[in-house]
Structures are given as C-alpha cells and as structure tokens.
C-alpha cells in the first residue's frame, strides 16, 4: 500500500475544476474512487472560488471525496496574519497535523502565488 495523498485545493484549483480542468477532475475522481487519496476544500478558498466563478461552492461540496475544512480558531488566527483569506486558509490547511504528519500538497493553477512559501505545490496547468 502506498502512502496516503493529502491535497488541498486553493481557490484557483476550485475555479479550474468548475471550468472542467482535466487535472483537477482527475484529483476529484481519485479522492472519490481510490483509498488513501484525500482532497480538502478550505472554506475561505471555497468562498473566493465562488466569487470568481459563481456556483463553484455548491458544485464542489456536493462531490463525494471532498472534505470541506471549517474556519476553526487556529485557521482564523492564521488567516488574520495574511493578506488574503483564501491563500492563508489553504496554506494553514496544508501544514502538518496529527492526521497528516507530512502536511498536504496545495493544488493550484497559480503556482507563482506560492513561490517562497513553505508548502508543496501541484501545478494543475495542462
């Protein structure tokens, strides 16, 4: 058995999924169909994706295999220190936790946004 794969969708990845991005669609399929694949949608990023592409939030939360991450107190404190809530919540969600000791990978269509940040990135651009 391989190691679990934990992936956080940032707002650009969520909007891309709504537009039919094939790589985002594959992630969603794997999270639903394969054991050990976990896909996360941070609430703040979900809101921003829905602003960019209305209907994205309702679409994504209805899909099996996607876990919506609430804005709990630690996440709210992380968000308060950053300029954008969407990126801050995604970065916070990617940090190591007891369930994800190696953290998670951030899936994005804007990898340049994450340059210099302490996160692993999966570029969803074809």
């Amino acid at each position: 058995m391989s190691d679990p794969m934990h992936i956080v969708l940032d707002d650009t990845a969520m909007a891309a999924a709504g537009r039919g991005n094939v790589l985002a669609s594959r992630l969603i399929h794997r999270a639903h169909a394969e054991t050990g694949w976990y896909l996360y949608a941070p609430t703040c990023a979900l809101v921003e994706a829905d602003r960019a592409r209305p209907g994205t939030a309702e679409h994504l939360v209805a899909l099996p295999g996607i876990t919506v991450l609430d804005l709990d107190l630690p996440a709210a404190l992380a968000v308060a220190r950053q300029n954008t809530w969407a990126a801050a919540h995604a970065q916070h969600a990617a940090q190591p936790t007891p369930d994800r000791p190696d953290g998670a990978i951030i899936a994005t269509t804007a990898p340049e946004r994450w340059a210099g940040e302490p996160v692993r990135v999966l570029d969803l651009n074809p």
Side-chain angles (χ1 to χ4, degrees), residues 40-59:
Y40 304 97
T43 303
C44 293
L46 192 60
V47 168
E48 198 59 38
D50 200 70
R51 286 181 180 163
R53 187 174 188 284
T56 298
E58 288 178 330
H59 174 72

Side-chain angles (χ1 to χ4, degrees), residues 40-114:
Y40 304 97
T43 303
C44 293
L46 192 60
V47 168
E48 198 59 38
D50 200 70
R51 286 181 180 163
R53 187 174 188 284
T56 298
E58 288 178 330
H59 174 72
L60 284 176
V61 300
L63 295 173
I66 295 182
T67 301
V68 176
L69 300 176
D70 294 330
L71 186 64
D72 58 8
L73 180 58
L77 294 174
V79 164
R81 292 186 214 105
Q82 300 293 328
N83 292 329
T84 65
W85 287 30
H89 198 184
Q91 183 174 346
H92 173 75
Q95 299 308 305
T97 66
D99 292 340
R100 299 182 306 272
D102 294 327
I105 299 167
I106 295 180
T108 184
T109 61
E112 65 282 353
R113 167 195 282 180
W114 301 103

Side-chain angles (χ1 to χ4, degrees), residues 24-47:
S25 295
R26 286 180 186 164
L27 288 177
I28 293 166
H29 173 74
R30 288 189 113 167
H32 170 64
E34 295 184 31
T35 302
W37 280 76
Y38 303 94
L39 203 54
Y40 304 97
T43 303
C44 293
L46 192 60
V47 168

